Amino acid sequence: MKIAIITDIHHGPLSHNKKAGWSALPVVDRFVDHARAIGADLLLDLGDHISDTTREADRAVMAEVVERLARFEGERVHVLGNHDVANLSIEDNEEIFGSSMRSRVVDLGALRLIAWQPDVRLIRGKGFNPAQPHLEWLVEALLADERPAIIATHVPVSGHSQVGNYYFEGAPEYATYPDHAEVRRAVEETGRAAMWLSGHVHWNTLTNVRNVKHITVQSLSERFTTGEDPAEAFAELEIADGRFALRVHGNDPIELSLPFHRSADRPWIAPRSSARPAVTPEPAGA
């Protein structure tokens, strides 16, 4: 199973760390060409397709991204990011993409992909609304099948540190959902999740939480980790023989290879109590 992954394209006007005069579209074309060349079974897009400005402009630049992604002849799965819904509704996005942008399950033979779409509207001064209203659907989707599942969202829920992150070190509440710990616990209790793929935070990370591998993929347009040139990042995920291999291409590359299995297949010993353990004195003269 091969999955081609792209996230945080941010096509549109200059914003944040985007390089002046640089366009995302040729890199999106290169990504689609790569997905076709490797024989990807699925194209997975993790959201934030545009840099939002106005509803009319957002519709135009979104359509340009969709036109490029639609060159991939196989199945495509899209989730929405916060910039995609700043001025556009879910229905607007569905019209432009020509497909559902709601939560759904994709059968991939020996495994399943669950594209989960909780609320991704980012509220200035607050952050995201809780994901809990959408959590029951996710848990039921996980429990409906024994096969290992990959969960795909725009916003990560790993709870990983944002120290050093250009956007989120000073505002970690914008990096995840306020109830991310509750979401993780509910998913972990099912024992069915193997991996969680996200974008949003604009860097590559791996966080293993109770045998669910939480991975974030670098943004196509980001520069804060790469200096003068954009990361131009996209990835491929291959799953075979009980392992996965992830390779992120571009100017911020990373390669990972780890076992792929349901979290319940390898029990995780619960963390110790928060009480400090007793310290045994060293022998005299040591």
Side-chain angles (χ1 to χ4, degrees), residues 208-279:
N208 189 357
V209 186
R210 298 177 181 88
N211 277 321
V212 178
K213 278 75 171 181
H214 293 259
I215 294 170
T216 65
V217 176
Q218 173 63 288
S219 158
L220 185 90
S221 59
E222 186 52 62
R223 289 198 303 156
F224 86 80
T225 66
T226 54
E228 181 178 349
D229 294 319
E232 299 192 346
F234 54 81
E236 62 195 56
L237 173 67
E238 184 168 6
I239 302 168
D241 302 321
R243 295 189 67 84
F244 76 85
L246 177 78
R247 170 182 283 187
V248 177
H249 300 272
N251 297 321
D252 193 7
I254 188 173
E255 293 188 36
L256 302 170
S257 180
L258 289 166
F260 181 84
H261 54 75
R262 303 179 313 166
S263 62
D265 293 340
R266 183 176 293 180
W268 187 282
I269 298 175
R272 295 183 65 157
S273 165
S274 59
R276 291 182 178 274
V279 177

Side-chain angles (χ1 to χ4, degrees), residues 16-239:
H16 299 298
N17 284 319
K18 193 180 294 182
K19 185 176 182 178
W22 177 85
S23 173
L25 295 180
V27 189
V28 176
D29 285 337
R30 194 159 72 239
F31 161 68
V32 173
D33 289 342
H34 178 78
R36 297 165 71 178
I38 65 172
D41 301 288
L42 179 80
L43 186 155
L44 175 61
D45 151 36
L46 296 172
D48 267 3
H49 309 92
I50 62 172
S51 295
D52 61 274
T53 51
T54 66
R55 185 172 186 273
E56 182 179 359
D58 289 1
R59 287 184 65 93
V61 293
M62 186 75 79
E64 291 178 340
V65 173
V66 172
E67 180 182 7
R68 266 56 178 199
L69 295 176
R71 293 176 51 241
F72 182 76
E73 298 89 349
E75 185 163 16
R76 291 182 285 125
V77 175
H78 306 277
V79 298
L80 295 174
N82 47 289
H83 288 274
D84 304 324
V85 297
N87 299 308
L88 302 177
S89 66
I90 293 177
E91 292 77 13
D92 289 331
N93 280 276
E94 289 178 329
E95 178 187 345
I96 298 167
F97 277 87
S99 64
S100 172
M101 306 300 281
R102 315 288 169 148
S103 298
R104 67 184 180 114
V105 180
V106 181
D107 191 321
L108 297 178
L111 60 136
R112 297 185 304 149
L113 174 69
I114 301 177
W116 189 43
Q117 190 65 70
D119 191 352
V120 289
R121 291 173 298 169
L122 186 59
I123 302 165
R124 298 299 173 187
K126 174 185 175 182
F128 292 100
N129 288 320
Q132 194 278 332
H134 305 266
L135 185 55
E136 183 178 357
W137 181 95
L138 177 59
V139 170
E140 289 180 354
L142 286 164
L143 291 175
D145 197 293
E146 292 280 349
R147 288 173 292 175
I150 298 172
I151 304 170
T153 58
H154 178 67
V155 179
V157 301
S158 65
H160 73 272
S161 171
Q162 298 301 319
V163 173
N165 190 291
Y166 173 85
Y167 302 96
F168 303 116
E169 178 175 286
E173 67 276 13
Y174 288 3
T176 188
Y177 289 102
D179 53 349
H180 61 89
E182 178 184 346
V183 171
R184 284 199 310 274
R185 282 194 297 270
V187 168
E188 290 156 7
E189 286 174 2
T190 72
R192 306 286 171 81
M195 180 184 297
W196 197 308
L197 296 171
S198 304
H200 184 60
V201 288
H202 290 212
W203 59 8
N204 298 311
T205 69
L206 166 66
T207 309
N208 189 357
V209 186
R210 298 177 181 88
N211 277 321
V212 178
K213 278 75 171 181
H214 293 259
I215 294 170
T216 65
V217 176
Q218 173 63 288
S219 158
L220 185 90
S221 59
E222 186 52 62
R223 289 198 303 156
F224 86 80
T225 66
T226 54
E228 181 178 349
D229 294 319
E232 299 192 346
F234 54 81
E236 62 195 56
L237 173 67
E238 184 168 6
I239 302 168

